[in-house]
Amino acid sequence: MSIFDDDRPKKPSAHEIGSDLSLLSVDELKARIALMQAEIARLEAEVATKASGRKAAENLFRS
């Protein structure tokens, strides 16, 4: 390990919407796609959770 490792620019660990993709390798692009697909799944799960909670509340107050 070099003493200059801290001086190297670090690659961002997450994808930034609208960032320049031209300098990324195919593997880096695939990794970002996987990261974003996982985030989409997480967001969809949260939407489903909130929708079911809202529906349960609506049913409770309709009775």
Side-chain angles (χ1 to χ4, degrees), residues 41-57:
R42 189 176 77 90
L43 290 166
E44 288 174 338
E46 187 65 21
V47 166
T49 299
K50 289 184 182 269
S52 67
R54 181 178 179 151
K55 186 169 184 161

Side-chain angles (χ1 to χ4, degrees), residues 1-6 8:
M1 188 158 129
S2 172
I3 61 171
F4 299 107
D5 286 343
D6 293 337
R8 280 195 235 155

